Amino acid sequence: MTETSSTSNGDHSSEDESSSAGPARPLVHADPSQAMPTSSKARAKCRIAVLEEELEMMRQERGGKQRKTTFYVAQGRAIHRLVVLYHSVGDMIAENDRRYEFRSAPESTAEQDRLQRGYIELARVLPWLKKGADAARGDDTSSLKELVATWVNQEFRPSPFIKSNDKYSRGFASDICGMLLCPAEWDWTQNSVKAGIRDRTTEYIVSENSWPLFLYENYQINSNDLEEGFLKSKLLVLAFKVVFTSPSSAREAEGDGDGADVLENNRRARRRSDQTKVKTCVASILNMKKVTPRAIAYVVCQVRFALSSVSSWHTVDADFDYEAFWCNIVDFFEDTPGPVTRRKVDKLLEWWTRKIFGTNHREDLTPELVSQMSVNALSEQRKKLEDAAFDSD
C-alpha cells in the first residue's frame, strides 16, 4: 500500500512541475521524413479496415450490375408480350435498315410491313433488348395453364372439371374446351362437327384461318357481323389482367378495370419501401397505360394454348399455326382497309383500355380545374375571413 501511495504522490508532483512550467508545447518528431512508430497490431487493424472497405465497394458494384441486369431482363420480357411473338428482333432491325437505305418508299410485302410496324413498336416500348422474352412467355404459359382451367370450371361447371395440372384432357377431347376452340363458322353442338374435328377430316380443318369462339363476347357469334363482340370475351380480359396487371386484379371482368390504381399503388409502394423488395406488375415496369394491339394478340395466343391439349409450346399445333394466327390478330388492328374500320378498331382499343385500366383521369386535373374545386374554394374562403377580421381591427 505504501509503495503504491508513494508512486501516486510522485505522479502528482511531476504533474505539478509540468503545469508550473507553463503551457505544454506540441510534440514534434525530430525528423518528419521518417515514419512514425506504430504497433504491428495497429497496422494490421488499419489494413483490415481498408480491405473491408474495398470488399464492400466490390459488393456494391456487383449488386449494381446484378440489379442493372435484372432491370434489362425484366424490360426484355416485354418483347413477346407487346411487340412480336415469333419474329426475331434481328428481323425487325434488318427490315428497318432496308427501308432506311432505300430512303424512298421501297416495295414491300405484307410480311415486311408487319416487321416494320413491329420495329416501330419495339422502339417505342424498349430503347434497346431480348434476354428475358422467352422466360416471360414461359411464366405466362405456366400461370394461365392453371388459371384458365379454374375460370372455365367456374363459368361452365363441366363434368368432370378440367384439371389445372393436366393438359391432355383439354382441347377438342373436352366438350367445353372444344366448344371454345371451335371455329366461328361451325356449330359445335352438332355431332357431325364434333366428330369431324376430332377425327381431323378434310371437311373440318382447324387452322389459323378461323376465329375460335373463345374470342367472342359471351362466346356467341353473329354470322352476319363477325366483328360484333369480337375480342371481347371474359377469358381474354381475365388473362390480360393476370399477365399485365396482377392475378388479384383478375377476380372480376365486369365493369371498368382497376389497372390504373394498381400501377399507382405499385409506384407508391416502391417509393416508400426504400430497400425492401416490392413486386412490380408488368404494366408498371413498361409504363403501360393503354392496351395495345400486339399485347392483345399475345394474350389471345396464350389463352388458345391454355385451352389446347398440347403440353409444351410449339409454333405449329397439328393444322394450327400460332405464328400466322398472331399475325392475323395484329393485322386486324394495324392493317385496316379504311377510316370506317379504323374507327371501329380504335373504339375496341378504348374498350380494352377501360376494362384493364379503368377511367382514371388524374392526368386531366389541370391547375385551372383544381383551383375551382372545393378544397381550394374552402381555403380561399378562410383567407377572406382572416382578411376581413384584420381590416375590422
Side-chain angles (χ1 to χ4, degrees):
M1 281 298 287
T2 308
E3 216 172 36
T4 306
S5 181
S6 65
T7 305
S8 177
N9 289 338
D11 289 342
H12 281 301
S13 63
S14 64
E15 284 177 9
D16 292 339
E17 286 176 1
S18 63
S19 62
S20 64
R25 288 175 294 177
L27 179 65
V28 179
H29 198 272
D31 186 0
S33 66
Q34 298 299 313
M36 292 284 290
T38 58
S39 70
S40 59
K41 191 182 222 180
R43 291 195 299 273
K45 283 184 177 179
C46 288
R47 183 57 182 156
I48 290 170
V50 171
L51 289 172
E52 286 178 342
E53 187 176 350
E54 290 177 355
L55 181 61
E56 183 59 30
M57 289 179 65
M58 289 172 64
R59 282 175 180 163
Q60 289 178 0
E61 288 177 4
R62 185 175 63 183
K65 288 177 182 177
Q66 287 176 342
R67 285 192 294 273
K68 192 172 183 181
T69 301
T70 302
F71 170 78
Y72 286 132
V73 170
Q75 295 271 309
R77 293 166 75 93
I79 296 174
H80 281 329
R81 287 168 170 160
L82 293 180
V83 182
V84 61
L85 185 54
Y86 285 101
H87 297 298
S88 71
V89 173
D91 289 341
M92 290 185 286
I93 294 173
E95 176 57 25
N96 184 72
D97 290 345
R98 183 184 75 86
R99 294 180 183 230
Y100 183 78
E101 288 171 3
F102 274 98
R103 298 300 176 117
S104 58
E107 292 186 4
S108 58
T109 63
E111 174 73 8
Q112 290 171 323
D113 288 340
R114 193 182 301 112
L115 283 171
Q116 181 62 15
R117 290 195 296 267
Y119 179 85
I120 294 169
E121 184 69 7
L122 181 69
R124 184 189 71 80
V125 174
L126 304 173
W128 32 261
L129 291 162
K130 172 171 166 52
K131 186 177 179 181
D134 293 333
R137 185 180 66 190
D139 290 348
D140 295 334
T141 300
S142 179
S143 298
L144 291 173
K145 172 185 173 182
E146 296 185 10
L147 288 171
V148 167
T150 301
W151 298 331
V152 170
N153 288 335
Q154 289 174 347
E155 182 146 359
F156 298 101
R157 313 299 295 180
S159 181
F161 275 2
I162 298 171
K163 296 178 182 178
S164 61
N165 61 349
D166 179 24
K167 288 276 284 179
Y168 296 104
S169 60
R170 304 185 196 186
F172 292 107
S174 161
D175 277 340
I176 294 301
C177 292
M179 180 267 291
L180 294 170
L181 292 169
C182 184
E185 57 266 34
W186 301 327
D187 183 359
W188 179 255
T189 60
Q190 294 183 10
N191 291 329
S192 59
V193 172
K194 287 184 186 180
I197 291 175
R198 286 170 175 169
D199 294 340
R200 296 183 62 184
T201 64
T202 54
E203 292 180 79
Y204 297 100
I205 301 174
V206 178
S207 74
E208 70 282 354
N209 299 298
S210 299
W211 297 123
L213 199 63
F214 77 85
L215 299 181
Y216 285 87
E217 188 173 21
N218 299 322
Y219 315 109
Q220 296 176 349
I221 63 159
N222 178 358
S223 300
N224 297 318
D225 183 7
L226 288 173
E227 199 168 350
E228 181 182 324
F230 183 57
L231 294 173
K232 286 187 174 184
S233 80
K234 183 178 179 179
L235 271 180
L236 291 183
V237 173
L238 293 174
F240 197 103
K241 288 183 175 184
V242 166
V243 172
F244 288 99
T245 54
S246 68
S248 60
S249 69
R251 292 170 184 161
E252 185 56 60
E254 305 300 329
D256 295 340
D258 62 351
D261 296 335
V262 172
L263 264 63
E264 178 61 17
N265 290 330
N266 252 223
R267 184 184 67 81
R268 296 191 182 191
R270 290 200 309 275
R271 188 174 61 190
R272 286 195 304 266
S273 65
D274 296 328
Q275 300 301 317
T276 305
K277 186 176 181 180
V278 177
K279 185 172 176 62
T280 308
C281 70
V282 173
S284 180
I285 293 172
L286 303 175
N287 196 27
M288 180 183 184
K289 297 178 181 177
K290 292 184 178 180
V291 176
T292 61
R294 292 174 183 238
I296 295 173
Y298 173 79
V299 170
V300 167
C301 288
Q302 285 284 1
V303 173
R304 206 274 174 187
F305 179 79
L307 290 169
S308 76
S309 59
V310 179
S311 58
S312 58
W313 190 278
H314 297 292
T315 301
V316 177
D317 171 12
D319 299 312
F320 190 92
D321 188 324
Y322 277 96
E323 182 177 354
F325 185 54
W326 182 90
C327 291
N328 288 341
I329 299 164
V330 170
D331 289 348
F332 168 80
F333 284 102
E334 297 181 355
D335 192 16
T336 54
V340 175
T341 51
R342 179 72 258 169
R343 283 193 295 271
K344 294 184 76 172
V345 160
D346 290 341
K347 191 174 180 179
L348 177 60
L349 288 172
E350 288 175 9
W351 178 91
W352 264 98
T353 296
R354 184 163 182 158
K355 278 289 183 184
I356 303 304
F357 297 106
T359 53
N360 193 319
H361 296 297
R362 288 196 63 81
E363 294 179 357
D364 299 322
L365 286 173
T366 61
E368 294 77 16
L369 189 61
V370 170
S371 67
Q372 301 170 23
M373 294 181 171
S374 55
V375 170
N376 277 324
L378 175 57
S379 178
E380 290 300 319
Q381 289 172 6
R382 296 177 76 188
K383 288 178 183 177
K384 289 179 181 178
L385 184 64
E386 293 295 337
D387 292 341
F390 179 79
D391 293 338
S392 64
D393 292 340

